[in-house]
Amino acid sequence: MSNIKLFQDKKIRTYHDEIREEWYFSIVDTIAVLTDSSIPKRYWSDLKKKLLKEGFQLYEKIVQLKFEAADGKKYATDCAETSNLLRIIQSIPSPKAEPFKLWLSQVGYERLQEIENPELAQERMKELYEKKGYPKDWIDKRLRGIAIRQNLTLLTKANKSPKEAVRLQE
């Protein structure tokens, strides 16, 4: 399944792998959007060298998928899944890339806070469900279900049978 994503009225070719449940994005299209480069392929070629020097394992993290080009033909195009694309964006010196970098910084900071205080993660989850419009009683049931499943998993890992784990849970 191929798709086109729009970012500031510019196209980014994408592919969703249904089996892996992962999105892949055309790196050249992303570079074109974030840099306004007149030759995004050349920019990507230079950026690959920089990434290799930084220790980014390109050949393990980049895949080639065939996307339709402007001439209507399909060509192999370097693509990255979401987390690798965000890593690549971190190496693009551009004002348009800066909002992504700030967001990544904020998310990293929040996760570090959650390591210190795991209750923050639960609060963040509740806020996200609320923003999505879920009712409070559904959110509470969901959180209880997650807690019960985690406890059952821990008990099962402690060599308790599933039936014994359920009995101990009650």
Side-chain angles (χ1 to χ4, degrees), residues 88-145:
I88 291 167
I89 289 171
Q90 290 175 16
S91 293
I92 297 175
S94 165
K96 289 183 180 179
E98 193 60 22
F100 292 99
K101 295 175 186 181
L102 291 171
W103 174 75
L104 287 168
S105 174
Q106 180 63 34
V107 169
Y109 174 70
E110 289 170 359
R111 294 310 166 271
L112 289 172
Q113 287 181 313
E114 291 169 4
I115 290 169
E116 293 295 316
N117 183 359
E119 289 176 13
L120 292 173
Q122 188 173 19
E123 286 303 313
R124 182 177 53 85
M125 181 176 28
K126 284 167 69 172
E127 287 175 18
L128 288 172
Y129 279 132
E130 288 171 5
K131 286 178 183 176
K132 287 184 169 195
Y134 288 95
K136 187 173 178 2
D137 62 327
W138 183 92
I139 295 169
D140 292 339
K141 287 178 187 175
R142 175 81 172 134
L143 293 175
R144 280 194 303 274

Side-chain angles (χ1 to χ4, degrees), residues 27-28 30-31 40-62 78-80 83-93 101:
I27 297 169
V28 171
T30 304
I31 287 170
K41 288 181 185 179
R42 174 68 185 266
Y43 192 104
W44 173 228
S45 178
D46 293 343
L47 185 58
K48 283 193 252 188
K49 294 172 189 168
K50 178 183 174 187
L51 287 165
L52 284 169
K53 287 180 185 175
E54 292 175 359
F56 186 74
Q57 300 298 319
L58 282 169
Y59 300 103
E60 294 174 12
K61 303 191 188 262
I62 303 302
D78 284 351
C79 296
S83 65
N84 289 322
L85 184 71
L86 290 170
R87 169 60 189 93
I88 291 167
I89 289 171
Q90 290 175 16
S91 293
I92 297 175
K101 295 175 186 181

